[in-house]
């Protein structure tokens, strides 16, 4: 593991005791000096500055490779063919030995553990003598523990084995200290146990204090980034109680514990997010998604936890929207020329009325896309995802990066339900809120579940993990080169599911006999 600084803090004003001002005022302060660290954690604002720094830093991971590009390309969503110089080809072909991939790999690993190190400082300071009230400590420590669990779970899902096939395989360290010492690689089962322990501890702290339970998400200030102040509003932009429970359901299902995953998804979330007239995460309507001004294409009311990134459009523009692109800046498209024929759209969505189908638009193809066209993709036009397309105005969801949502909870409940009949009920409930007909009685449930997951989380990096957890060898294809009936297929080698440790990390472990 990379030798990490003891903390990375983003608010010089907090060091001076003036509290928080705005994200733009935060500075990257290296905490080599113990005196500076003691000053920072001398007041409530300092604790918030430290924790907020972790949220901001997560954008480096979750605004690009972890969501809208790399992992989705590895899930074979897009038309990244093998015969061109598409910039995402490293991911679509799982080129783990390529030097270009190694650069990505090292950056992701290093950044994740750097953020975890920062979080550990906050946790340690919460557990020692501190100036916090009981409520302040519960919220800050609860969020910090949950964030630590969240980051480790994603590292496990990326670098760990297919859990159902080899839970004892050593994979990653679990960094629960601010120590600079390199930690040993742990078996996947032990990592998952520690993830669950952190999430359960975080949920227990938040349960008595998080206002989301009694007041909802509290989106009271559409111009707030959720970090510049701390008035308990905008709970979707922080690790709130329901987000932690949702992560527990995700973690239990990863470990194959369907009974506990179902219990949390059904009894602790679905049954409780609508109580006493309060609907915490209401379903997003067609009118909201297709509004002429400020269309809510990310279905924001259903998002349990998201990051706030005011540069979101700049970060995803090249992936989807740039009109003039060089061969090294290729955009991501569905194969096909329109919304009705010779298009992945017609196989990906089984109901023309599907609300998620409105997230695509037909655009003129680039010269590169024309050159890479196959018989399945004439490229007289191209199809691009508009989920993150920009719009004018100050609506908060303009800058949200969704990390876990209501639709996934219904899919977890569907997969983990005690009977397939009940599972179909959850699946159909989700489809009804997407303006789709119920799945046919004769439809294969596993196939229906896979397609519903693919449609629900596109652009969010979750489908790759879904495939990996289930050890899938046949994926929904992205190029249209191979078909099974009317469905494009991609034959997956299971070894491609496991990212190798960065070479720099492996070298350090050899040097230190770890």
């Amino acid at each position: 593991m990379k030798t990490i600084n003891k903390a990375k803090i983003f608010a010089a004003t907090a060091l001076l005791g003036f509290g928080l001002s705005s994200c733009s005022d935060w500075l990257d302060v290296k905490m080599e000096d113990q005196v500076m660290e003691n000053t920072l954690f001398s007041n409530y604002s300092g604790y918030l500055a430290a924790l907020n720094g972790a949220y901001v830093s997560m954008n480096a991971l979750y605004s690009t490779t972890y969501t809208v590009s790399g992992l989705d390309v590895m899930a074979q969503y897009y038309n990244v063919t093998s015969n061109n110089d598409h910039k995402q080809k490293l991911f679509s072909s799982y080129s783990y030995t390529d030097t270009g991939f190694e650069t990505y790999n090292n950056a992701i690993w290093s950044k994740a553990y750097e953020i975890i190190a920062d979080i550990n400082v906050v946790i340690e300071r919460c557990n020692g003598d501190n100036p916090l009230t009981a409520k302040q400590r519960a919220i800050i420590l609860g969020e910090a523990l949950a964030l630590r669990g969240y980051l480790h779970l994603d590292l496990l899902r990326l670098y760990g084995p297919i859990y159902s096939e080899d839970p004892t395989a050593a994979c990653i360290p679990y960094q629960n200290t601010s120590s600079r010492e390199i930690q040993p690689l742990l078996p996947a089962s032990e990592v998952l146990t520690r993830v669950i322990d952190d999430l359960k501890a975080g949920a227990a702290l938040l349960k008595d204090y998080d206002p989301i339970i009694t007041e909802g998400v509290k989106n009271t200030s559409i111009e707030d980034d959720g970090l510049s102040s701390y008035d308990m509003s905008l709970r979707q932009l922080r690790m709130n109680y329901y987000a932690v429970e949702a992560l527990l359901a995700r973690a239990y299902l990863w470990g194959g514990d369907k009974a506990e995953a179902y219990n949390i998804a059904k009894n602790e979330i679905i049954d409780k997010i609508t109580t006493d007239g309060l609907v915490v995460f209401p379903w997003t309507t067609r009118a909201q998604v297709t509004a002429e001004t400020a269309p809510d294409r990310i279905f924001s009311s259903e998002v349990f936890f998201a990051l706030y990134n005011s540069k979101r459009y700049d970060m995803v523009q090249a992936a989807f929207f740039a009109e003039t692109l060089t061969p090294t800046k290729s955009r991501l498209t569905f194969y096909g020329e329109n919304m009705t024929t010779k298009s992945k759209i017609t196989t990906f969505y089984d109901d023309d009325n599907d609300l998620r189908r409105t997230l695509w638009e037909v655009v003129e193809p680039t010269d590169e896309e024309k050159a890479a066209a196959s018989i399945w993709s004439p490229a007289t036009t191209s199809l691009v995802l508009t989920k993150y397309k920009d719009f004018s105005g100050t609506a908060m969801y303009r800058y949200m990066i969704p990390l876990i949502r209501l639709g996934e909870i219904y899919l977890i409940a569907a997969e983990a339900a005690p009977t397939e009949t009940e599972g179909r009920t959850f699946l159909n409930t989700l489809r009804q809120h997407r303006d789709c007909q119920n799945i046919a009685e004769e439809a294969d449930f596993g196939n229906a579940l896979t397609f519903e997951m693919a449609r629900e989380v596109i652009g969010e990096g979750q489908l790759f993990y879904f495939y990996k957890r289930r050890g899938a060898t046949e994926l929904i294809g992205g190029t249209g080169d191979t078909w099974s009936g009317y469905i494009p297929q991609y034959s997956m080698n299971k070894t491609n599911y496991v990212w190798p440790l960065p070479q720099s990390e492996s070298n350090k472990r050899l040097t230190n006999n770890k």
Side-chain angles (χ1 to χ4, degrees):
M1 184 186 307
K2 177 183 177 182
T3 299
I4 47 184
N5 292 314
K6 209 170 183 187
K8 180 177 283 186
I9 308 301
F10 289 78
T13 52
L15 289 170
L16 299 175
F18 294 130
L20 295 174
S21 54
S22 69
C23 289
S24 61
D25 294 325
W26 295 349
L27 300 177
D28 185 359
V29 181
K30 300 295 184 182
M31 299 303 298
E32 300 292 341
D33 188 341
Q34 189 68 37
V35 174
M36 292 178 67
E37 183 175 318
N38 290 338
T39 302
L40 178 76
F41 290 103
S42 66
N43 56 51
Y44 178 49
S45 295
Y47 277 82
L48 298 183
L51 185 58
N52 290 347
Y55 283 109
V56 172
S57 295
M58 286 175 69
N59 274 304
L61 296 174
Y62 291 95
S63 293
T64 51
T65 304
Y66 260 16
T67 50
V68 299
S69 56
L71 288 187
D72 266 8
V73 172
M74 293 175 73
Q76 301 300 323
Y77 271 116
Y78 303 111
N79 189 21
V80 181
T81 60
S82 59
N83 61 347
N84 64 20
D85 295 322
H86 199 290
K87 71 172 184 177
Q88 298 288 349
K89 188 176 177 181
L90 288 173
F91 292 103
S92 68
S93 59
Y94 313 101
S95 301
Y96 296 144
T97 59
D98 190 280
T99 55
F101 178 84
E102 178 63 23
T103 299
Y104 276 108
N105 196 14
N106 184 67
I108 287 172
W109 176 276
S110 300
K111 189 63 179 179
Y113 278 106
E114 176 187 316
I115 299 169
I116 291 169
D118 300 343
I119 293 168
N120 281 331
V121 175
V122 177
I123 292 171
E124 289 168 1
R125 287 289 180 162
C126 283
N127 287 330
D129 292 336
N130 61 75
L132 305 175
T133 66
K135 180 176 181 178
Q136 290 169 348
R137 179 182 179 276
I139 293 289
I140 291 173
L141 182 57
E143 288 186 17
L145 286 168
L147 283 175
R148 185 169 73 183
Y150 184 101
L151 288 161
H152 278 105
L153 179 59
D154 274 1
L155 288 165
L156 171 63
R157 294 196 296 169
L158 197 61
Y159 294 97
I162 299 175
Y163 192 90
S164 61
E165 297 183 1
D166 192 8
T168 63
C171 52
I172 66 169
Y174 203 93
Q175 186 75 11
N176 57 5
T177 172
S178 61
S179 168
R180 296 168 182 247
E181 293 184 5
I182 295 176
Q183 302 297 312
L185 300 179
L186 299 178
S189 57
E190 185 171 343
V191 174
L192 185 60
T193 295
R194 295 191 185 192
V195 166
I196 290 171
D197 287 346
D198 270 350
L199 294 177
K200 289 172 69 174
L205 287 162
L206 292 166
K207 187 172 185 178
D208 292 332
Y209 293 103
D210 195 335
I212 198 171
I213 298 171
T214 56
E215 301 175 55
V217 298
K218 298 186 68 176
N219 290 343
T220 56
S221 174
I222 62 174
E223 294 182 345
D224 192 355
D225 57 14
L227 302 174
S228 297
S229 61
Y230 202 78
D231 57 3
M232 296 299 170
S233 63
L234 298 167
R235 292 302 293 163
Q236 286 173 293
L237 299 182
R238 307 192 73 91
M239 190 59 75
N240 64 75
Y241 172 74
Y242 288 117
V244 182
E245 289 289 337
L247 289 170
L248 271 169
R250 181 188 278 178
Y252 277 118
L253 192 59
W254 184 260
D257 190 343
K258 288 188 174 182
E260 195 57 37
Y262 171 82
N263 173 56
I264 293 173
K266 167 67 166 58
N267 300 323
E268 298 300 322
I269 301 177
I270 293 174
D271 287 352
K272 292 184 178 180
I273 57 175
T274 302
T275 57
D276 299 325
L278 173 67
V279 182
V280 182
F281 299 103
W283 295 100
T284 307
T285 66
R286 179 174 290 272
Q288 292 170 318
V289 175
T290 61
E292 290 188 15
T293 59
D296 188 358
R297 300 187 185 98
I298 65 166
F299 299 67
S300 68
S301 63
E302 304 171 18
V303 175
F304 282 57
F305 173 52
L307 298 179
Y308 181 95
N309 190 333
S310 62
K311 303 295 184 182
R312 186 185 78 176
Y313 182 70
D314 294 338
M315 301 187 75
V316 302
Q317 182 180 17
F320 299 113
F321 311 122
E323 295 180 357
T324 304
L325 300 165
T326 66
T328 58
K329 292 186 177 181
S330 312
R331 65 183 171 188
L332 300 174
T333 63
F334 265 15
Y335 70 82
E337 57 180 321
N338 54 48
M339 299 288 284
T340 57
T341 60
K342 296 182 179 179
S343 165
K344 182 175 177 177
I345 293 290
T346 60
T347 59
F348 193 66
Y349 299 98
D350 63 351
D351 191 315
D352 289 346
N353 202 45
D354 194 323
L355 181 55
R356 295 162 297 195
R357 203 172 186 268
T358 67
L359 302 181
W360 292 87
E361 68 178 38
V362 178
V363 297
E364 290 298 316
T366 64
D367 289 341
E368 183 189 16
E369 288 163 359
K370 292 177 181 177
S374 70
I375 59 173
W376 301 107
S377 179
T380 56
T381 54
S382 288
L383 295 163
V384 294
L385 183 69
T386 64
K387 191 169 190 174
Y388 296 110
K389 190 174 184 179
D390 201 18
F391 55 86
S392 60
T394 57
M396 183 186 67
Y397 50 82
R398 180 183 181 186
Y399 302 125
M400 288 172 67
I401 303 290
L403 298 186
I404 192 163
R405 61 172 56 252
L406 181 60
E408 182 182 344
I409 300 308
Y410 271 81
L411 291 168
I412 289 173
E415 182 175 353
T419 66
E420 184 177 307
T421 298
E422 186 177 358
R424 285 174 178 265
T425 299
F426 285 112
L427 201 61
N428 285 330
T429 298
L430 173 61
R431 287 177 61 84
Q432 288 160 16
H433 287 285
R434 299 296 177 251
D435 294 343
C436 298
Q437 298 291 320
N438 289 348
I439 58 174
E441 291 185 6
E442 67 275 12
D444 179 80
F445 181 68
N447 187 62
L449 185 73
T450 298
F451 269 85
E452 213 58 50
M453 182 69 178
R455 291 186 281 256
E456 187 68 10
V457 298
I458 190 168
E460 298 178 20
Q462 295 302 318
L463 184 61
F464 178 77
Y465 296 132
F466 175 87
Y467 285 142
K468 179 174 180 175
R469 175 173 57 78
R470 294 163 66 88
T473 56
E474 294 295 329
L475 315 186
I476 304 169
T479 64
D481 291 336
T482 303
W483 289 67
S484 176
Y486 291 103
I487 307 301
Q489 296 286 311
Y490 180 88
S491 295
M492 182 67 161
N493 186 327
K494 287 186 179 181
T495 61
N496 291 334
Y497 283 124
V498 182
W499 276 31
L501 294 187
Q503 190 60 51
S504 58
E505 178 69 16
S506 297
N507 291 342
K508 289 176 184 177
R509 291 184 175 278
L510 286 173
T511 301
N512 290 274
N513 295 317
K514 293 282 187 177

